Amino acid sequence: VAAMRIRRAAAWMGVVAATAAFRAPESTCARRRRVVVSMEASQEAVVAAVAAKLEAMGESSRRVESRAGEIVVRDEASSLVATLPKLIVCASTLSYFLDRVSAGVVVPIPYEWRELELAVATPADCAEIIAANLEAPRVTIPGTDSGLPTCLSASPYTLCQVARACAVAAGRDVVKTPFFGLASGYADTLPFPLALDDSWLFPLEKLPEKPPPPKRRSLNKPVKNPDFHRRLQQREDDDKLTAVIATIYDDYRPPPLDDPPFPVDLALVSDGASLKGNFVYKNDVYHRPLGTPRADNPYLSS
């Protein structure tokens, strides 16, 4: 009996050691960090919005310039540098998503970036924040030592949420987001428009711990459900993002497409070695929810 127990313990220790040896390393998305998304075309939209705001303020003598990830406002005495850790929501940034949802095809997304939390703003939002910081004390970016103004949104979004909002804004009832690995090279052949600069990564504030399950109560007292309120808040945030993108989509004119459109996307779907998964969003009981339709969006009905 003792020998049998020793053999069982040795076998169990071997399984534990093998599991630890082959455990996957912590991925970037598991660290749950916000990241700077830099795109020159979106920065041009922010420069135009800042210049218009300065002219309205009577500060037309100031010059506005753009460089990688930053907007610089200069005058004769000094300069103000504003970093933009944002997904700048404008037609140039969203063209990758809008072209595909308009054609009714899939919207490929990098697998490693599927859960990255992005702060989202319009060029007008960036202009308001930069103008407010011209004379006010500079705001410190969390997790850094720089005293540069930033424009972080209250609620972060993922690339899948952006794709869903674009589909709802385009009036689609379903959208598919296949995931491709960055090592596959599809980020360059698609091409995926957003470039992430790892040097600008900074951690989020301490995440709230998972709430304990609700205690049993009598039938006379209602039971609080934190997940229900969290879903309500997420739906409200999604509706706000859809409303912003809808105003851009209404003025957007997709370019002429080949037949069939986006052949690289079709090749990705059939490439089993590079395809890492696929999410299907549709407002039914069998798929992930797509979102509130445009006709029912409270931020678009007014």
Side-chain angles (χ1 to χ4, degrees), residues 61-79:
S61 60
R62 297 177 183 263
R63 294 183 293 108
V64 185
E65 303 173 1
S66 67
R67 59 194 187 196
E70 296 178 342
I71 300 296
V72 184
V73 182
R74 301 182 184 276
D75 57 9
E76 297 179 357
S78 60
S79 63

Side-chain angles (χ1 to χ4, degrees), residues 246-294:
T247 58
I248 299 173
Y249 179 80
D250 291 342
D251 297 331
Y252 185 69
R253 297 296 178 266
L257 303 175
D258 300 330
D259 189 19
F262 303 105
V264 179
D265 299 41
L266 299 177
L268 168 63
V269 174
S270 58
D271 187 354
S274 301
L275 189 65
K276 301 295 184 180
N278 184 30
F279 284 170
V280 180
Y281 296 96
K282 189 176 182 179
N283 289 330
D284 58 16
V285 297
Y286 304 105
H287 302 92
R288 297 170 182 265
L290 178 62
T292 306
R294 286 193 58 163

Side-chain angles (χ1 to χ4, degrees), residues 176-190:
K176 299 179 181 180
T177 58
F179 301 108
F180 61 89
L182 291 176
S184 64
Y186 275 97
D188 297 327
T189 56
L190 282 170

Side-chain angles (χ1 to χ4, degrees), residues 25-296:
E26 184 182 12
S27 61
T28 303
C29 61
R31 294 198 297 266
R32 297 177 64 82
R33 292 185 172 187
R34 287 182 182 169
V35 62
V36 165
V37 178
S38 59
M39 189 174 182
E40 293 298 330
S42 62
Q43 291 186 37
E44 293 175 2
V46 175
V47 168
V50 173
K53 181 65 178 180
L54 293 177
E55 185 175 358
M57 296 170 56
E59 299 283 350
S60 56
S61 60
R62 297 177 183 263
R63 294 183 293 108
V64 185
E65 303 173 1
S66 67
R67 59 194 187 196
E70 296 178 342
I71 300 296
V72 184
V73 182
R74 301 182 184 276
D75 57 9
E76 297 179 357
S78 60
S79 63
L80 171 72
V81 181
T83 59
L84 300 176
K86 282 283 187 181
L87 175 60
I88 307 300
V89 177
C90 60
S92 58
T93 307
L94 298 179
S95 60
Y96 175 87
F97 301 92
L98 297 180
D99 290 348
R100 285 163 172 78
V101 298
S102 300
V105 297
V106 298
V107 183
I109 291 175
Y111 177 77
E112 290 82 355
W113 300 346
R114 68 194 185 281
E115 293 181 5
L116 285 175
E117 296 181 331
L118 305 174
V120 176
T122 63
D125 296 332
C126 298
E128 290 290 339
I129 294 176
I130 293 175
N133 278 274
L134 287 175
E135 298 179 358
R138 294 184 176 184
V139 182
T140 302
I141 302 176
T144 67
D145 298 329
S146 61
L148 304 178
T150 180
C151 32
L152 290 174
S153 62
S155 300
Y157 294 93
T158 63
L159 291 172
C160 290
Q161 287 177 283
V162 175
R164 286 166 45 199
C166 291
V168 174
R172 297 292 178 181
D173 58 357
V174 61
V175 64
K176 299 179 181 180
T177 58
F179 301 108
F180 61 89
L182 291 176
S184 64
Y186 275 97
D188 297 327
T189 56
L190 282 170
F192 193 75
L194 305 181
L196 303 187
D197 184 1
D198 292 337
S199 64
W200 287 94
L201 284 172
F202 58 92
L204 284 168
E205 296 79 7
K206 184 179 179 181
L207 296 174
E209 298 180 358
K210 185 177 181 181
K215 298 181 180 180
R216 295 186 123 187
R217 300 174 181 266
S218 63
L219 297 177
N220 306 352
K221 299 180 180 179
V223 178
K224 295 182 179 179
N225 188 349
D227 291 335
F228 174 75
H229 296 287
R230 190 178 300 112
R231 288 195 297 269
L232 284 181
Q233 183 62 48
Q234 182 178 355
R235 181 184 302 175
E236 181 181 352
D237 295 339
D238 290 342
D239 290 346
K240 291 180 180 178
L241 180 62
T242 301
V244 172
I245 295 178
T247 58
I248 299 173
Y249 179 80
D250 291 342
D251 297 331
Y252 185 69
R253 297 296 178 266
L257 303 175
D258 300 330
D259 189 19
F262 303 105
V264 179
D265 299 41
L266 299 177
L268 168 63
V269 174
S270 58
D271 187 354
S274 301
L275 189 65
K276 301 295 184 180
N278 184 30
F279 284 170
V280 180
Y281 296 96
K282 189 176 182 179
N283 289 330
D284 58 16
V285 297
Y286 304 105
H287 302 92
R288 297 170 182 265
L290 178 62
T292 306
R294 286 193 58 163
D296 302 328

